[in-house]
Amino acid sequence: MTQSKAIQEPRIFQISRLFSNLRGDLTGGLTAAVVALPLALAFAVASGVEPKAGVYTAIVAGIIAAIFGGSPVQITGPTGAMAVILVGIVAKYGIEKVWIAGVMAGVIQVALGVAKLGQLVKFIPYPVTAGFTNGIAVIIFCGQLNNFFGLKLPRSDHFLPGIWQTVSHIEGVNWAAVGLVVVAIAGNVLWPKINNTIPGSLVGLVLATGIASYFHLDVPKIGAIPQSLPMLQTIPHWNDFSLIRELINPALALAALGSIESLLSAVVADGMTVSEKHNSDRELIGQGLANIIVPFFGGIPATGAIARTAVNVRSGGKTRLSGVIHGVALAIIILTLAPLASQIPLAALAGILMVVSLRMIEWEAISLLFRATYSDFAVMILTWLVTILFDLVLAVEIGLIAAGALFIKRMSDLSLAKIPETEVFPPGIPLELGKEIAVYRVDGPVFFGAAERFVTFLREQPEVKYLILRLRFVPNMDTTGLVALEDIYQDLKRQNCRLILTGLQPQVQQLLQRSGLLAKIGLSNCFETTTDAIYSLSPEINSNTEIQEYG
């Protein structure tokens, strides 16, 4: 009888957890779908394709990536970063060739995942990612100026000519369109202060569309959207090898950006949840499969979407089911509301994208880099400018070269080693305390690859409650090292493990103070020597015990 009860209880708990997750996944998936609808339409328009392609992409890619990807909470669909690349490819090659390039990009992503190269994204320095993210935001914002002013102008492939085109035709401004943009922005920004249940972007979209329809305003609209599910189609000339050679560069660009953005989004999701962490290689395979399949349903290349993923997590999504629910919900919406969506003004989508772009700009990163080290700030500005004036892939390449040059200049390999307990734990310390404390010696400048090593350590030794970093031989630290140290601190905090620093050098201490990280860690967790730190953790040690001082 006792044995039967012991067997039954875990099943009860499993069922309880299943229903608990189901409720969270249902809420997260439905909320993400509501947020995704206006963004899918807007990013499709920004990519130079029909609005339906954006929704079809969110449905098909969202479901496939959720099932096969490496992140349990990732939401996949059209994004602003991908739109920036797609608009040029669509203008140059046309939508049919974009489908072929998308399939090729997916194949490349799957190959990267199979080759287990997903971890490489973690070695992209922080100023580079901040630079191209901010550059994308500027491009998206400026790319909506024609719709902001209601100008019916052909889309420009390049940033500066596009700005000049808008400025030179400013006399033809449509003030009704400008008013609708203001309404969409106001609804997007102000509504969350009233109610957080319904996304502000949806409220702004509905308000602007309602006003345009009620007053019969003469403004450009997105046009008819089929009231049907995405259907399987053939891709013309997909087996033309000369065409494949022609599209290899666009495919590489799509694969590179899709991989980087998806993995960065998965990393962000990891920081928001204590559930299963993502598998980088599997995530590349899942995103690649999505990009291989979605062109056969009329969609465009997709990536993991940071904002929609964050909405999913904050709304309760915990498993892959939330991503599947997001795709199914979008399919139901398009079947029931497609005729209404055709009346959406382009100005309303412009307002939504402008708000999205402003929120994409990493203001905190700009401030941190400016206050920390000017060399890292220069790398971010360089990456930012190349992103705007040229393209994203070139920006990442140049940013990596610049960051690598700085890294070599700072000379360093991070020497990280666990100090044996016999060297730091003197006689008299209880064995139990010795199991709870780990001491690591760090020699040389701290850099951007450090955080993952500590995450791995924590997974292997979950019983450790105190991690002491001996930093006496760390002469300096750059901004990416600072971000890595903060990641270490956050991971330890989630694992209920206390971070203690010893032997801080003046340059490192000043950087931690300027950034505010020292205040988070706490001065009470900083000691001159490792022995002092161990004493603070072991009040039961007899004061007469002879302990050799360990710096």
Side-chain angles (χ1 to χ4, degrees):
M1 184 71 178
T2 306
Q3 184 181 3
S4 175
K5 184 177 180 181
I7 295 174
Q8 291 176 1
E9 281 183 347
R11 293 178 180 174
I12 294 174
F13 289 137
Q14 288 174 4
I15 295 172
S16 175
R17 284 195 296 271
L18 175 63
F19 279 102
S20 175
N21 288 344
L22 178 60
R23 287 194 295 269
D25 290 337
L26 186 62
T27 303
L30 291 176
T31 306
V34 173
V35 172
L37 178 62
L39 294 178
L41 295 171
F43 288 135
V45 173
S47 301
V49 300
E50 295 181 16
K52 68 178 182 180
V55 182
Y56 289 173
T57 301
I59 295 171
V60 178
I63 293 175
I64 293 172
I67 295 173
F68 297 103
S71 174
V73 293
Q74 180 96 285
I75 298 296
T76 298
T79 63
M82 192 62 81
V84 170
I85 284 187
L86 282 174
V87 65
I89 299 176
V90 170
K92 183 176 181 179
Y93 297 101
I95 185 61
E96 291 182 355
K97 291 184 179 180
V98 167
W99 291 335
I100 298 175
V103 174
M104 293 169 62
V107 172
I108 294 171
Q109 287 180 293
V110 171
L112 290 174
V114 171
K116 299 189 179 301
L117 298 178
Q119 299 293 327
L120 292 180
V121 72
K122 295 176 181 177
F123 295 97
I124 299 178
Y126 187 63
V128 177
T129 59
F132 85 75
T133 300
N134 292 334
I136 290 168
V138 172
I139 293 173
I140 293 173
F141 185 92
C142 295
Q144 295 305 307
L145 290 178
N146 284 345
N147 290 333
F148 179 94
F149 293 113
L151 302 176
K152 299 179 181 179
L153 299 174
R155 186 181 299 276
S156 176
D157 297 344
H158 301 287
F159 180 77
L160 292 179
I163 297 294
W164 175 247
Q165 181 189 60
T166 302
V167 172
S168 60
H169 292 82
I170 198 67
E171 72 279 356
V173 61
N174 184 330
W175 291 107
V178 174
L180 292 177
V181 172
V182 172
V183 170
I185 292 176
N188 203 343
V189 173
L190 299 178
W191 178 257
K193 298 179 181 179
I194 301 173
N195 188 302
N196 285 324
T197 305
I198 303 175
S201 58
L202 184 63
V203 172
L205 186 72
V206 171
L207 283 175
T209 304
I211 291 173
S213 299
Y214 183 80
F215 291 102
H216 303 288
L217 298 180
D218 183 19
V219 292
K221 297 180 173 62
I222 67 173
I225 297 178
Q227 194 173 5
S228 61
L229 295 176
M231 302 299 293
L232 189 64
Q233 64 179 22
T234 58
I235 299 179
H237 312 298
W238 66 272
N239 56 352
D240 185 343
F241 290 102
S242 63
L243 187 59
I244 292 176
R245 286 196 299 270
E246 178 187 0
L247 294 175
I248 187 63
N249 286 336
L252 287 171
L254 292 171
L257 179 63
S259 300
I260 292 171
E261 188 175 13
S262 296
L263 293 178
L264 288 177
S265 175
V267 170
V268 171
D270 286 352
M272 298 177 62
T273 175
V274 295
S275 63
E276 174 191 353
K277 301 303 181 183
H278 84 282
N279 181 312
S280 299
D281 299 321
R282 181 175 174 181
E283 181 64 20
L284 286 180
I285 293 173
Q287 294 292 334
L289 290 174
N291 282 328
I292 290 172
I293 296 173
V294 77
F296 291 95
F297 290 89
I300 54 178
T303 72
I306 295 177
R308 276 156 276 177
T309 299
V311 167
N312 179 37
V313 175
R314 288 170 183 159
S315 301
K318 294 181 180 179
T319 73
R320 303 175 187 280
L321 183 60
S322 60
V324 175
I325 291 173
H326 148 266
V328 173
L330 279 173
I332 294 173
I333 292 173
I334 202 67
L335 283 175
T336 55
L337 301 178
L340 296 177
S342 64
Q343 299 302 311
I344 296 174
L346 292 178
L349 298 181
I352 292 172
L353 286 177
M354 285 179 164
V355 173
V356 168
S357 63
L358 289 175
R359 289 173 176 169
M360 281 180 66
I361 295 180
E362 299 187 12
W363 303 105
E364 292 183 4
I366 296 172
S367 175
L368 173 63
L369 290 165
F370 182 77
R371 287 184 286 115
T373 57
Y374 292 127
S375 55
D376 287 331
F377 183 73
V379 171
M380 186 200 70
I381 295 297
L382 176 63
T383 309
W384 194 346
L385 291 175
V386 176
T387 300
I388 294 172
L389 300 178
F390 297 97
D391 65 69
L392 295 172
V393 176
L394 181 62
V396 173
E397 292 172 351
I398 291 179
L400 285 173
I401 292 172
L406 284 175
F407 184 64
I408 293 172
K409 182 181 177 182
R410 286 167 180 146
M411 264 177 39
S412 331
D413 261 346
L414 176 69
S415 175
L416 178 67
K418 189 174 188 293
I419 304 175
E421 296 169 358
T422 54
E423 292 185 21
V424 290
F425 295 124
I429 295 183
L431 183 61
E432 294 77 12
L433 185 62
K435 291 181 178 179
E436 293 182 351
I437 300 175
V439 181
Y440 272 76
R441 184 185 72 246
V442 184
D443 297 333
V446 177
F447 73 113
F448 48 82
E452 180 63 18
R453 299 175 71 174
F454 283 103
V455 173
T456 303
F457 158 75
L458 285 173
R459 289 172 185 163
E460 294 174 351
Q461 303 186 47
E463 72 276 7
V464 171
K465 300 302 180 185
Y466 306 95
L467 177 62
I468 300 175
L469 291 187
R470 179 174 175 265
L471 304 178
R472 184 165 301 281
F473 296 105
V474 176
N476 57 64
M477 181 183 294
D478 62 10
T479 311
T480 46
L482 177 68
V483 173
L485 184 59
E486 183 164 8
D487 288 343
I488 293 168
Y489 167 73
Q490 296 294 347
D491 279 317
L492 292 173
K493 186 178 180 181
R494 281 193 289 270
Q495 297 288 339
N496 293 319
C497 184
R498 180 176 161 191
L499 175 63
I500 297 173
L501 307 179
T502 68
L504 282 174
Q505 296 299 303
Q507 189 272 351
V508 177
Q509 185 168 349
Q510 290 172 9
L511 178 63
L512 295 180
Q513 286 175 334
R514 289 199 305 270
S515 66
L517 180 56
L518 190 61
K520 293 181 182 178
I521 296 174
L523 290 174
S524 61
N525 291 318
C526 299
F527 297 87
E528 178 61 25
T529 68
T530 303
T531 302
D532 292 339
I534 295 175
Y535 264 132
S536 73
L537 300 176
S538 53
E540 59 271 65
I541 295 179
N542 190 297
S543 60
N544 295 323
T545 302
E546 289 187 38
I547 300 178
Q548 183 180 357
E549 187 80 4
Y550 191 91

